Amino acid sequence: MEELAPISIVGTGYVGLTTAAVLANAGFKVFTIDIVPEKIETIKKGRAYFYEEALDELISKAIDTGNLVPTLSYEESIPESDIVFSCVGTPDRPDGSHNLDYIYGAAESVARVAKDGLIMVQKSTVPVGTGREVISKMKKANPELQFEYVSNPEFLREGSAVYNTLNMQRVILGSDSTEAMDRIEAVYKKVDELCKKLEGVNFGEYTNLAIGRELKAQTKSFEDRVFKMRLESAELVKVSANAFLALKISFANSIAKLADKTEADINEVMDGVGSDTRIGRAFLYAGLGWGGGCFPKDVSGLIAVADDRGVGMSIMNSAVNVNDSMIDYGVEKLQRHLSDLKDKKIAVLGLAFKPGTSDVRKSQAIKLANKLTELGASVAAYDPKAMEEAKETLASSVVLKESIMDTVSDADAVVLAVDWKDFVIADWEAIKDAMSGDVLFDGRNKLDIHEMSALGFRYEGVGRR
Ligand code: UGA
């Protein structure tokens, strides 16, 4: 059998653990390293410590074959590895920029125990210029070590992390060393082979993604999906891509506000606009706006780096302002029907930052729920996966419920805050009957306006007619 390079992955978040599980299933021996003992213990039992479709299945298979080795120890894993992927977190600084302490700390720890010939791959999203700093810190930590550094930003989306990792749209590699980039390309080639073997496998109850369908749509060969470039270019690809997507959403929301003042319907408008292949329909869905661990941080990080280099990035400041305004916009929609929200019973469906994940970071749904309680409303909320996670940032006065029906019971208004499929296909007639009022704010524009009106709801969307 072909001998594959042993790999270590530092950091077991969405990116690190998904990459580790996929590479281990592609045949690599993979050490997955974290500093938190509870996380490592859970992975050893064959599952993730967060919810992500199809991930537990891959982890448990890889633990059984022995390809995936969870560990707390750099000494046990790094000296055994030819390639190390850095996937550690970059928490927010108060000014919105990335805190890179974990990135530097992990790189120095790797450098101290690594063997010569190491390829250090950065998968975490970092501001442009970070790679050079990492290289210099690694050299300082171990001046003797021979290594190459590759920036390889990750584009997976939470909720479809496994699917995106297997079914790569693009592989971005940035480095001073062509040979190092070739070796990382060879690693991903194995993932592409695994993906082809999985044709027909359905990934997910909620996202309804099937590998086969996408593979058929995939017109480019694996090689044509690999882009090799300068280190700094690769770093800038990642944040620019996320910033552009955030911009698209804020653009759609701005046009939706205008649509609300006219007889236009935003879905019709964006269907027309997005049919231009130069523009595309994706990420032009108006609603409560963007959240999560990536867009908010990447956008503020980009603004911070640009400020630092004396380059204005007002286009992104505007996108942030539009996004922030969507919470008050949602509140106004409710006030239009309920006037004063004090003591009004409002049911909020969804707390995660988007469907398919238990992640609640910078969730617009939580911001809206908290704002409603601030205004004196009595808020009940439910999410299929993110209840525990939500407790940390959700106002304590928000009452968590166990089901859709419990949440809407006796409510004056219901808000669809996250477009979980369970909510979109729910029995809205029964919901209407269980409520004492009739106001429905569709914060994700996912419900059929005519159907909802026929059920007797006073329907509000974002830019809907
Ligand atoms: C995002 C990018 O889509 C990934 O390509 C990237 O790899 C990832 O960040 C990252 O940097 O790691 P993710 O944060 O998982 O992925 O979430 P998205 O699916 O992009 O959604 C972001 C937010 O935008 C969600 O709150 C979603 O509800 C909102 N959204 C998305 C809209 O309001 N309208 C849209 O049309 C699309």
Side-chain angles (χ1 to χ4, degrees):
M1 231 170 74
E2 185 187 359
E3 188 75 12
L4 297 178
I7 293 172
S8 276
I9 301 206
V10 186
T12 63
Y14 285 91
V15 173
L17 189 52
T18 308
T19 307
V22 167
L23 290 178
N25 277 271
F28 293 90
K29 165 133 190 207
V30 183
F31 295 96
T32 184
I33 310 163
D34 207 288
I35 50 170
V36 182
E38 295 77 35
K39 293 184 178 175
I40 292 300
E41 280 318 307
T42 309
I43 303 164
K44 276 186 180 161
K45 288 180 194 137
R47 53 190 160 83
Y49 56 90
F50 50 84
Y51 175 72
E52 188 65 48
E53 275 175 345
L55 185 55
D56 285 356
E57 203 181 313
L58 286 187
I59 294 175
S60 117
K61 258 193 208 155
I63 292 281
D64 288 351
T65 59
N67 272 5
L68 186 64
V69 185
T71 176
L72 291 164
S73 159
Y74 280 62
E75 286 76 14
E76 176 193 315
S77 49
I78 304 293
E80 302 292 317
S81 306
D82 296 353
I83 299 168
V84 174
F85 285 91
S86 167
C87 304
V88 297
T90 55
D92 285 352
R93 284 218 160 89
D95 69 352
S97 64
H98 296 69
N99 175 349
L100 298 172
D101 293 351
Y102 296 147
I103 298 276
Y104 296 140
E108 286 162 348
S109 305
V110 168
R112 281 188 205 107
V113 293
K115 62 179 180 189
D116 278 345
L118 165 80
I119 302 179
M120 181 74 178
V121 186
Q122 190 64 256
K123 273 186 100 60
S124 302
T125 302
V126 291
V128 58
T130 306
R132 296 277 163 217
E133 192 60 32
V134 173
I135 294 171
S136 125
K137 286 191 188 294
M138 287 177 72
K139 282 185 177 158
K140 245 186 231 152
N142 184 354
E144 308 299 316
L145 181 71
Q146 302 290 319
F147 71 97
E148 296 294 350
Y149 182 89
V150 177
S151 164
N152 166 224
E154 176 53 55
F155 295 96
L156 64 79
R157 290 171 74 185
E158 286 179 30
S160 52
V162 170
Y163 175 81
N164 296 147
T165 305
L166 281 163
N167 195 37
M168 293 163 281
Q169 257 186 2
R170 61 204 190 290
V171 176
I172 303 288
L173 301 169
S175 178
D176 297 337
S177 162
T178 311
E179 197 198 324
M181 289 193 279
D182 290 347
R183 287 192 52 203
I184 303 308
E185 178 180 359
V187 170
Y188 285 114
K189 177 94 185 149
K190 290 283 163 207
V191 174
D192 194 53
E193 285 166 14
L194 172 66
C195 178
K196 289 196 178 105
K197 273 189 225 149
L198 292 174
E199 186 160 352
V201 173
N202 210 322
F203 278 85
E205 192 187 341
Y206 295 105
T207 39
N208 192 25
L209 299 166
I211 285 284
R213 198 172 52 227
E214 281 274 320
L215 275 182
K216 283 188 192 92
Q218 192 73 266
T219 48
K220 287 185 182 163
S221 70
F222 170 71
E223 287 71 21
D224 286 346
R225 284 177 276 144
V226 179
F227 296 85
K228 295 176 190 163
M229 58 186 74
R230 291 160 191 269
L231 169 52
E232 283 77 5
S233 303
E235 290 175 335
L236 208 45
V237 166
K238 173 60 196 273
V239 268
S240 309
N242 275 359
F244 189 73
L245 292 172
L247 210 55
K248 279 186 96 175
I249 301 167
S250 283
F251 178 78
N253 279 333
S254 300
I255 303 293
K257 286 183 181 178
L258 179 59
D260 265 335
K261 298 278 181 208
T262 69
E263 289 299 308
D265 176 281
I266 191 65
N267 285 356
E268 292 174 359
V269 174
M270 287 307 161
D271 284 347
V273 171
S275 68
D276 182 334
T277 50
R278 293 171 303 173
I279 299 172
R281 181 66 173 96
F283 284 73
L284 285 178
Y285 292 91
L288 278 174
W290 35 275
C294 303
F295 283 6
K297 187 165 56 189
D298 289 357
V299 169
S300 49
L302 183 61
I303 293 170
V305 173
D307 276 353
D308 191 49
R309 309 278 164 120
V311 180
M313 202 51 84
S314 56
I315 189 169
M316 294 318 305
N317 287 315
S318 301
V320 172
N321 291 341
V322 171
N323 201 51
D324 291 346
S325 77
M326 297 318 291
I327 304 300
D328 283 342
Y329 201 67
V331 169
E332 282 163 28
K333 293 259 173 192
L334 291 166
Q335 282 167 335
R336 186 170 305 163
H337 298 281
L338 301 173
S339 52
D340 189 0
L341 297 185
K342 195 161 183 326
D343 297 329
K344 296 284 166 22
K345 289 186 179 155
I346 303 180
V348 173
L349 295 179
L351 293 167
F353 87 90
K354 66 169 191 179
T357 178
S358 57
D359 194 342
V360 296
R361 285 176 289 173
K362 300 268 160 47
S363 159
Q364 295 285 86
I366 291 185
K367 284 187 201 161
L368 178 64
N370 288 350
K371 181 82 196 194
L372 294 172
T373 56
E374 263 172 44
L375 294 169
S378 142
V379 180
Y382 166 69
D383 188 283
K385 295 286 176 198
M387 301 284 265
E388 268 316 299
E389 288 80 354
K391 284 180 186 159
E392 215 173 292
T393 42
L394 198 60
S396 55
S397 50
V398 175
V399 182
L400 287 172
K401 300 285 185 176
E402 291 300 312
S403 69
I404 299 176
M405 294 314 289
D406 272 356
T407 317
V408 299
S409 165
D410 214 21
D412 295 302
V414 57
V415 177
L416 179 75
V418 183
D419 42 333
W420 282 99
K421 194 173 159 199
D422 292 3
F423 297 159
V424 177
I425 63 165
D427 182 347
W428 284 90
E429 189 171 4
I431 291 177
K432 170 76 184 47
D433 288 347
M435 290 169 61
S436 56
D438 58 2
V439 177
L440 162 59
F441 171 47
D442 178 1
R444 296 292 167 185
N445 283 354
K446 284 287 154 56
L447 301 169
D448 188 304
I449 188 164
H450 304 293
E451 220 174 274
M452 295 302 131
S453 305
L455 291 175
F457 279 112
R458 282 189 281 167
Y459 177 97
E460 285 285 344
V462 180
R464 298 298 308 282
R465 283 278 158 255

